[in-house]
């Protein structure tokens, strides 16, 4: 099954996802997920909600149920978190989605994550790293292993502190740009 086009609905017994959008970008190719999945010993389902601040799209989807990642959920998330500058879609790492779910649970957050940046193509990353020394030339965004977010109604410093305490990956605080960076790399922390 291909990724969602803007405004389409996706349904299966295990997941229901809807992407709403004002634009309808095209995809170069579907994302294959089967080889990247691994089972987790978790009984509960995991659902995430996002608002993409650049595209105006929103999504709420279950990406994990019955001990397995759900391809349709990960695909819908990957589409929503595509590189908004050129509409390239990269597979978002399921472990990053688990990290976001854990953060949501830790904070008791009920509002969708506001997305500043998800997947970045190599071209976009090169452009951004030329403009700012704060953009890594080999950013984990290019591998679908990083995301920049904020949560409405929760102070940025509280999001940063909670993510640091989870100790699951990289966590950066960018107060001037008003977001927290999360990635699935080795645990490390930065920012003010």
């Amino acid at each position: 099954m291909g990724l969602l086009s803007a405004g389409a609905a996706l349904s299966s017994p295990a997941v229901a996802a809807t992407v709403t959008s004002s634009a309808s970008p095209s995809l170069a190719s579907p994302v294959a997920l089967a080889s990247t999945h691994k089972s987790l010993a978790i009984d509960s389902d995991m659902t995430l909600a996002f608002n993409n601040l650049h595209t105006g799209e929103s999504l709420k989807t279950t990406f994990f149920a019955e001990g397995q990642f759900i391809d349709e959920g990960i695909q819908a998330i990957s589409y929503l978190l595509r590189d908004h500058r050129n509409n390239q879609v990269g597979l978002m790492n399921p472990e990053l989605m688990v990290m976001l779910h854990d953060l949501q649970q830790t904070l008791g957050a009920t509002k969708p994550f506001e997305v500043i940046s998800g997947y970045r193509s190599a071209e976009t990353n090169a452009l951004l790293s030329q403009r700012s020394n704060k953009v890594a030339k080999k950013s984990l965004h290019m591998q679908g292993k990083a995301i920049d977010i904020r949560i409405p109604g929760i102070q940025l410093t509280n999001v940063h502190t909670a993510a640091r305490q989870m100790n699951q990956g990289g966590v950066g605080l960018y107060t001037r740009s008003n977001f927290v960076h999360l990635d699935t790399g080795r645990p490390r922390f930065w920012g003010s």
Side-chain angles (χ1 to χ4, degrees):
M1 175 181 238
L3 294 176
L4 293 175
S5 61
L10 171 69
S11 296
S12 76
V15 65
T18 303
V19 175
T20 56
S21 168
S22 58
S24 183
S26 61
L27 297 175
S29 64
V31 178
L33 298 173
S35 63
T36 65
H37 290 190
K38 57 184 173 183
S39 295
L40 296 179
I42 299 172
D43 292 332
S44 63
D45 295 354
M46 290 189 240
T47 298
L48 289 172
F50 300 96
N51 287 329
N52 187 317
L53 299 179
H54 296 286
T55 66
E57 296 168 332
S58 58
L59 169 73
K60 182 175 184 179
T61 188
T62 299
F63 69 94
F64 184 88
E66 300 176 7
Q68 298 289 321
F69 288 104
I70 301 168
D71 286 348
E72 292 89 348
I74 298 293
Q75 287 178 354
I77 291 168
S78 295
Y79 179 79
L80 184 92
L81 299 181
R82 70 192 178 278
D83 186 331
H84 71 273
R85 289 172 180 83
N86 59 19
N87 285 325
Q88 287 186 24
V89 178
L91 175 63
M92 294 306 292
N93 187 307
E95 292 175 32
L96 181 61
M97 300 308 109
V98 173
M99 187 177 179
L100 286 169
H101 184 266
D102 290 351
L103 179 61
Q104 175 182 272
Q105 298 301 304
T106 298
L107 291 167
T110 57
K111 294 188 179 175
F113 288 101
E114 291 183 341
V115 179
I116 288 82
S117 182
Y119 172 76
R120 267 190 224 147
S121 65
E123 297 81 14
T124 292
N125 200 74
L127 176 70
L128 294 176
S129 80
Q130 287 175 356
R131 292 181 184 168
S132 171
N133 62 359
K134 292 184 179 184
V135 175
K137 290 184 180 180
K138 295 185 178 183
S139 171
L140 291 175
H141 284 278
M142 296 187 301
Q143 299 173 38
K145 295 181 177 181
I147 191 168
D148 300 333
I149 55 98
R150 60 182 173 242
I151 305 171
I154 300 179
Q155 288 185 353
L156 211 57
T157 52
N158 291 345
V159 175
H160 182 252
T161 299
R164 285 184 59 176
Q165 290 173 346
M166 289 177 2
N167 202 36
Q168 293 180 10
V171 181
L173 176 62
Y174 295 86
T175 52
R176 282 188 181 164
S177 300
N178 194 26
F179 70 82
V180 171
H181 168 95
L182 302 170
D183 67 54
T184 60
R186 65 179 169 74
R188 63 212 188 286
F189 317 110
W190 67 92
S192 58

